[in-house]
Amino acid sequence: DIQMTQSPSSVSASVGDRVTITCRASQGISSWLAWYQQKPGKAPKLLIYAASSLQSGVPSRFSGSGSGTDFTLTISSLQPEDFATYYCQQANSFPRTFGQGTRLEIK
Amino acid sequence: QLQLQESGPGLVKPSETLSLTCTVSGGSISSSSYYWGWIRQPPGKGLEWIGSIYYSGSTYYNPSLKSRVTISVDTSKNQFSLKLSSVTAADTAVYYCARHLRAAPRDAFDIWGQGTMVTVSS
């Protein structure tokens, strides 16, 4: 199985800050990577697929980059509704696997 | 718009079989390019993919659960189902159904149900 490791596990930031979350795959996955946002008590929401493609309806302050084993999710200017937990997920092979999550908290 | 809704018992006894159904509305489960998946999340923990099925019945399962999991589809009812046998407390989780988009380069779980909490306890 491909292991996905996110860093940091949690981060505190303020409204308006720029935040970057990193995801590393245990082996190369080309650009087969998705990012999700999950708020408490809610289902995950797809933000990014194919490492850098923005899902329809997702604000442009979210962006993704990377290929191979190292990927990043960037939020350019944090909004109050962005405080949530973020997960990466590899789509290169089965079984599909997720990172452990990064909790984004208000400073 | 497409919606998914999980249904099934919220409490299952140890060693019994967990059974859940996901009803798809606002679209056809027989659409090409889409599989249909199950993902679970134990309380306070991360996400675990359980398996995915195509409308033809083709399946992919997580090897860690494969011996206990069966995912099936009923196109006439626009539903797909999950059965997990011999459950233990470790299977206590929120279970989500999701549409699994598989159309290169897009491959992701793009629409999710709200999730249903299943507790394994006697």
Side-chain angles (χ1 to χ4, degrees), chain B residues 31-44:
Chain B
S31 300
S32 62
S33 300
Y34 298 113
Y35 276 62
W36 303 90
W38 289 97
I39 299 104
R40 70 180 183 178
Q41 184 172 38

Side-chain angles (χ1 to χ4, degrees), chain B residues 6-78:
Chain B
E6 306 89 350
S7 59
L11 181 64
V12 181
K13 290 183 168 57
S15 80
E16 296 190 345
T17 296
L18 178 160
S19 295
L20 297 174
T21 295
C22 183
T23 300
V24 179
S25 58
S28 174
I29 202 169
S30 300
S31 300
S32 62
S33 300
Y34 298 113
Y35 276 62
W36 303 90
W38 289 97
I39 299 104
R40 70 180 183 178
Q41 184 172 38
K45 297 188 177 181
L47 300 164
E48 180 182 32
W49 173 76
I50 300 170
S52 296
I53 190 167
Y54 195 54
Y55 73 91
S56 64
S58 174
T59 53
Y60 292 93
Y61 295 136
N62 193 323
S64 69
L65 298 168
K66 187 173 183 177
S67 64
R68 299 193 292 129
V69 170
T70 302
I71 297 176
S72 58
V73 63
D74 186 337
T75 55
S76 67
K77 295 182 178 179
N78 232 30

Side-chain angles (χ1 to χ4, degrees), chain A residues 5-25:
Chain A
T5 304
Q6 290 181 230
S7 60
S9 295
S10 66
V11 58
S12 296
S14 301
V15 172
D17 284 353
R18 178 184 181 92
V19 171
T20 297
I21 297 169
T22 297
C23 179
R24 175 165 289 177

Side-chain angles (χ1 to χ4, degrees), chain A residues 43-83:
Chain A
K45 172 187 175 183
L46 177 65
L47 300 176
I48 302 277
Y49 61 88
S52 60
S53 296
L54 200 64
Q55 174 70 350
S56 177
V58 174
S60 59
R61 63 181 180 272
F62 291 92
S63 64
S65 66
S67 66
T69 60
D70 294 317
F71 302 86
T72 60
L73 172 70
T74 299
I75 310 172
S76 60
S77 178
L78 275 173
Q79 299 302 300
E81 60 268 29
D82 299 337
F83 293 94

Side-chain angles (χ1 to χ4, degrees), chain A residues 1 31-34 36 38 41-46 48-50 53 55 87 89 91 94-100, chain B residues 35 39 41 45-49 52 60-63 96 100-102 104-110 112-115:
Chain A
D1 298 5
S31 296
W32 295 104
L33 187 95
Y36 301 85
Q38 186 179 34
K42 300 295 187 182
K45 172 187 175 183
L46 177 65
I48 302 277
Y49 61 88
S53 296
Q55 174 70 350
Y87 293 93
Q89 175 241 317
F94 288 103
R96 298 294 193 253
T97 47
F98 292 84
Q100 81 279 15
Chain B
Y35 276 62
I39 299 104
Q41 184 172 38
K45 297 188 177 181
L47 300 164
E48 180 182 32
W49 173 76
S52 296
Y60 292 93
Y61 295 136
N62 193 323
Y96 294 101
H100 185 175
L101 171 61
R102 298 193 69 202
R106 297 173 296 167
D107 191 311
F109 299 99
D110 65 340
W112 295 63
Q114 64 184 26

